[in-house]
């Protein structure tokens, strides 16, 4: 957990040191579309990211453009969303959100500032989702069909799948199993061989079996009081799914491949259109 948190915590520690430069507090460095950025903002980013002044300016311009777009799209983060994100971070670090807060406070960090940083992360993620969705219009039917014809092996639907089912009362035990690739089987895990008929499965979990590779595990599912995961061992009698049935899947695959570039291109255009007025940088 320490390694994961240090990067996030560092930016919180910097805030307490920047005020050693009081002459920077009120000075305006530049404007981005009329929104001011202070010399103190520039100094803080330099200290936080250990970069030269020109790089700090570039980062701050990018941040201001993000803020404008978030406001433009009326994106908000609810307390529940923030709580879920903090719980997810804690879970990734094998701890609880209460212990996460304690860790940050006892290491000199500011818990409220940390939550603000996480909130900004969620806002950006929501913004990127909107940008990606708007870009769906850029994908035409020919591009979808070309992908389908070039990757038909991705759309072979087996009639049945041989699996080994693992089940336990403890979800953490199955997580250990999956992370080890099946090499470590903790105590308390039961297992049995099954042949699953695709037509009989819940449609919501079919993609995990169809798209999962032989030799890999499905996600862990809660079923009653148990947790279950399946090791895919063989796929039987595959047939090619019609294009119309997998069109949305293809669209998501293409957008996933293009997402980073689309977001980069989107903000490059904003940057080229932005009005940046430099006042002073020293």
């Amino acid at each position: 957990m320490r390694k994961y948190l240090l990067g996030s915590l560092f930016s919180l520690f910097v805030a307490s040191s920047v005020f050693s430069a009081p002459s920077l507090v009120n000075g305006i460095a530049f404007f981005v579309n009329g929104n001011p950025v202070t010399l103190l903002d520039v100094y803080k980013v330099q200290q936080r990211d250990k970069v030269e002044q020109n790089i700090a300016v570039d980062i701050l311009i990018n941040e201001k453009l993000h803020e404008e777009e978030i406001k433009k799209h009326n994106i908000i983060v609810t307390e529940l969303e923030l709580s879920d994100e903090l719980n997810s971070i804690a879970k990734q670090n094998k701890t609880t959100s209460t212990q996460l807060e304690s860790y940050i406070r006892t290491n000199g960090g500011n818990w409220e500032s940390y939550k603000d940083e996480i909130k900004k992360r969620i806002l950006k993620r929501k913004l990127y989702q909107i940008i990606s969705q708007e870009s769906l219009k850029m994908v035409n039917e020919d591009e979808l069909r070309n992908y389908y014809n070039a990757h038909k092996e991705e759309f072979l639907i087996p009639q049945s799948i041989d699996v080994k089912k693992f089940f336990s009362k403890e979800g953490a035990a199955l997580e250990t199993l999956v992370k080890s690739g099946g090499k470590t089987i903790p105590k308390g895990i039961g297992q049995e061989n099954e042949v699953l008929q695709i037509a009989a499965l819940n449609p919501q979990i079919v993609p995990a079996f169809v798209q999962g590779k032989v030799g890999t595990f499905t996600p862990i599912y809660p079923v009653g009081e148990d947790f279950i995961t399946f090791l895919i061992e063989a796929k039987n009698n595959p047939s090619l799914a019609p294009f119309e049935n997998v069109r949305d899947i293809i669209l998501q695959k293409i957008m996933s491949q293009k997402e980073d570039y689309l977001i980069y291109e989107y903000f490059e255009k904003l940057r080229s259109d932005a009005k940046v007025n430099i006042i002073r940088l020293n």
Side-chain angles (χ1 to χ4, degrees):
M1 180 175 79
R2 183 178 180 82
K3 181 178 179 182
Y4 178 85
L5 292 173
L6 281 179
S8 298
L9 289 173
F10 182 75
S11 62
L12 306 183
F13 299 153
V14 167
S16 63
S17 64
V18 295
F19 292 101
S20 62
S23 62
L24 302 180
V25 173
N26 297 316
I28 301 298
F30 57 92
F31 290 88
V32 180
N33 293 332
N35 297 309
V37 177
T38 67
L39 290 168
L40 178 60
D41 293 330
V42 177
Y43 180 77
K44 286 167 65 176
V45 172
Q46 283 185 263
Q47 296 300 302
R48 182 191 70 194
D49 296 347
K50 300 299 182 185
V51 295
E52 297 295 328
Q53 186 183 74
N54 62 319
I55 301 298
V57 169
D58 190 68
I59 291 171
L60 285 163
I61 291 173
N62 189 47
E63 287 183 0
K64 284 297 179 184
L65 293 176
H66 274 75
E67 290 173 8
E68 285 183 10
E69 289 301 295
I70 288 168
K71 184 176 181 180
K72 171 185 171 182
H73 291 283
N74 298 313
I75 303 172
I76 63 169
V77 175
T78 66
E79 287 300 317
L80 179 59
E81 288 173 323
L82 179 58
S83 177
D84 286 344
E85 187 77 5
L86 291 168
N87 286 332
S88 177
I89 293 171
K91 186 177 180 181
Q92 291 171 19
N93 289 279
K94 307 298 183 184
T95 187
T96 66
S97 57
T98 300
Q99 291 170 326
L100 177 64
E101 178 179 355
S102 176
Y103 177 87
I104 290 173
R105 291 187 185 280
T106 56
N107 283 274
N110 184 300
W111 177 240
E112 294 304 319
S113 296
Y114 181 78
K115 289 199 297 183
D116 285 342
E117 290 300 315
I118 300 304
K119 185 175 180 179
K120 289 178 183 178
R121 180 195 300 179
I122 301 172
L123 287 169
K124 284 186 177 181
R125 187 165 66 223
K126 285 187 170 186
L127 174 60
Y128 296 159
Q129 288 172 348
I130 290 173
I131 294 171
S132 297
Q133 288 300 314
E134 289 178 348
S135 300
L136 289 175
K137 302 171 186 176
M138 298 169 55
V139 181
N140 59 44
E141 201 71 10
D142 288 341
E143 189 173 0
L144 295 176
R145 288 191 176 275
N146 288 339
Y147 186 98
Y148 176 77
N149 291 328
H151 302 85
K152 289 184 176 180
E153 71 281 357
E154 296 181 14
F155 309 107
L156 293 173
I157 308 298
Q159 302 303 305
S160 65
I161 298 181
D162 297 341
V163 300
K164 181 170 289 185
K165 181 173 74 173
F166 294 89
F167 50 94
S168 173
K169 297 290 184 184
E170 300 294 334
L174 291 182
E175 289 181 7
T176 299
L177 169 75
V178 172
K179 287 180 180 178
S180 73
K183 296 178 181 178
T184 301
I185 304 179
K187 292 181 180 180
I189 290 183
Q191 56 182 291
E192 57 187 44
N193 295 320
E194 288 189 4
V195 178
L196 302 178
Q197 302 299 319
I198 291 296
L201 292 177
N202 184 322
Q204 292 183 336
I205 67 172
V206 167
F209 290 91
V210 172
Q211 298 174 23
K213 296 181 180 179
V214 172
T216 64
F217 287 88
T218 67
I220 298 170
Y221 303 107
V223 179
E225 296 182 354
D226 290 336
F227 294 90
I228 297 175
T229 186
F230 300 86
L231 174 63
I232 300 172
E233 297 188 319
K235 297 183 178 184
N236 309 313
N237 304 317
S239 60
L240 183 63
F243 170 79
E244 292 73 17
N245 291 7
V246 294
R247 185 183 181 282
D248 288 344
I249 295 175
I250 297 171
L251 184 59
Q252 292 303 318
K253 285 177 176 286
I254 291 176
M255 290 311 301
S256 178
Q257 293 175 357
K258 290 184 172 184
E259 185 175 24
D260 289 345
Y261 175 73
L262 287 170
I263 291 170
Y264 168 79
E265 188 178 53
Y266 185 91
F267 279 98
E268 279 299 294
K269 185 177 187 308
L270 288 180
R271 178 68 176 267
S272 66
D273 294 338
K275 296 180 180 178
V276 180
N277 301 317
I278 303 293
I279 305 301
R280 54 177 290 211
L281 293 174
N282 50 51

